[in-house]
Amino acid sequence: KKNSQVTEIGRWNKYIAPFINDKSLEELSTLDLLLLRRKLEETKLSAQSIYHCLSLLRRVIYKTAEWNQSNAYVPSFKKIMPKFDNRRQRFLNDTEISILLNHLLLLDPSKNWYEISLFAVNTGLRRGEIFNLSAIDIDLPSRTAYILDTKSGKNRNIHLNNIAFNIILRRICNINGNEKIFYPKNPRTFRKAVKESGLNKGITDLRQKIVFHSFRHTFASWLIQSGFPLALV
């Protein structure tokens, strides 16, 4: 993706290229990788950012060796990559959901982001899965949404509860089969609503901050609290 290209090129130019300088990739040793990691740590980058930098260099080295069909020494990254757990932990309770949805209504009278957020917390779908949904992916008689080309690579079907189904009905009546049901217009609206709601006030740990993906955690947490087995969820 274009955004990923911009990010990776920027990461390479800022952190990796200055360190490698005039060395060729074939000259890099495991010691060089350790020194690069230390250099990145000294810049106060997070463990995740350091991991992304080293991962980028690893992919470039491995791909270069593959393309050149080279038998040259390839340094091992196994013990160099930092370990971290950056998974989001927080989920919303009923009151927090109401507060956030009310702020979305105030900021966006069209109810676009209000309905997107309400749909997310009632389906547990990822952001990309929601915005990829087309009218053709919905089977109205069975109230089923077909989720294709997922992050895991496995397609799946989900049943729509009353709230999610009614949102689909309102949106699907004015579009054709291949048109997207949801559109990420004015994405700053959601971030602004989160900020104005105060839900992240005083929170510095990114794992505890409310983001769009928090709806997915909330959906799963509510199911567990309702008695559904963890394995099923």
Side-chain angles (χ1 to χ4, degrees):
K1 295 181 180 179
K2 189 171 182 61
N3 286 346
S4 297
Q5 292 178 34
V6 172
T7 300
E8 295 285 51
I9 291 171
R11 193 172 278 147
W12 181 275
N13 289 338
K14 185 174 183 179
Y15 298 113
I16 302 175
F19 177 83
I20 294 177
N21 200 5
D22 57 354
K23 279 189 175 183
S24 68
L25 293 177
E26 289 79 5
E27 291 179 282
L28 293 178
S29 65
T30 302
L31 176 59
D32 289 320
L33 301 182
L34 286 168
L35 292 173
L36 172 58
R37 174 174 168 173
R38 177 181 291 181
K39 186 80 173 178
L40 295 172
E41 290 170 342
E42 290 172 352
T43 64
K44 304 300 182 182
L45 284 177
S46 67
Q48 184 181 28
S49 295
I50 294 172
Y51 182 94
H52 287 320
C53 288
L54 293 173
S55 176
L56 172 60
L57 178 58
R58 177 175 59 184
R59 281 179 279 133
V60 170
I61 289 176
Y62 286 4
K63 186 57 68 175
T64 301
E66 176 188 332
W67 284 345
N68 291 340
Q69 296 182 337
S70 171
N71 292 321
Y73 165 76
V74 176
S76 173
F77 283 77
K78 187 174 182 180
K79 295 184 178 181
I80 294 172
M81 306 300 285
K83 296 180 179 179
F84 61 93
D85 186 352
N86 206 39
R87 291 174 293 182
R88 301 274 178 180
Q89 301 295 326
R90 189 174 167 194
F91 62 90
L92 296 150
N93 58 38
D94 291 341
T95 301
E96 291 173 326
I97 284 288
S98 296
I99 291 172
L100 180 53
L101 291 177
N102 285 335
H103 275 84
L104 286 168
L105 279 176
L106 291 173
L107 291 171
D108 181 14
S110 72
K111 293 187 176 182
N112 181 47
W113 276 99
Y114 170 85
E115 289 194 339
I116 291 171
S117 300
L118 193 58
F119 186 81
V121 81
N122 278 278
T123 59
L125 292 181
R126 298 181 177 92
R127 179 189 178 109
E129 292 171 345
I130 292 174
F131 292 128
N132 281 334
L133 271 180
S134 301
I136 200 172
D137 298 325
I138 306 297
D139 182 47
L140 293 178
S142 65
R143 297 166 63 123
T144 300
Y146 302 111
I147 314 302
L148 309 175
D149 303 322
T150 67
K151 182 179 179 180
S152 66
K154 297 180 180 179
N155 299 331
R156 67 185 190 279
N157 306 333
I158 65 162
H159 178 74
L160 301 171
N161 65 15
N162 289 336
I163 294 175
F165 185 66
N166 287 331
I167 291 173
I168 290 292
L169 283 181
R170 283 196 295 272
R171 287 175 169 256
I172 210 171
C173 60
N174 296 319
I175 62 177
N176 297 319
N178 290 322
E179 286 187 74
K180 301 299 183 185
I181 298 173
F182 300 96
Y183 45 94
K185 186 178 180 181
N186 298 325
R188 292 181 180 177
T189 300
F190 179 81
R191 295 194 292 270
K192 188 175 181 181
V194 172
K195 183 178 181 180
E196 293 187 358
S197 70
L199 294 175
N200 286 335
K201 188 175 181 180
I203 297 175
T204 57
D205 190 335
L206 294 178
R207 292 167 294 187
Q208 298 297 336
K209 286 197 171 187
I210 295 299
V211 295
F212 191 86
H213 197 72
S214 301
F215 290 136
R216 183 167 168 84
H217 289 282
T218 300
F219 172 80
S221 298
W222 286 2
L223 284 180
I224 293 171
Q225 291 171 3
S226 298
F228 286 87
L230 179 61
L232 178 60
V233 174

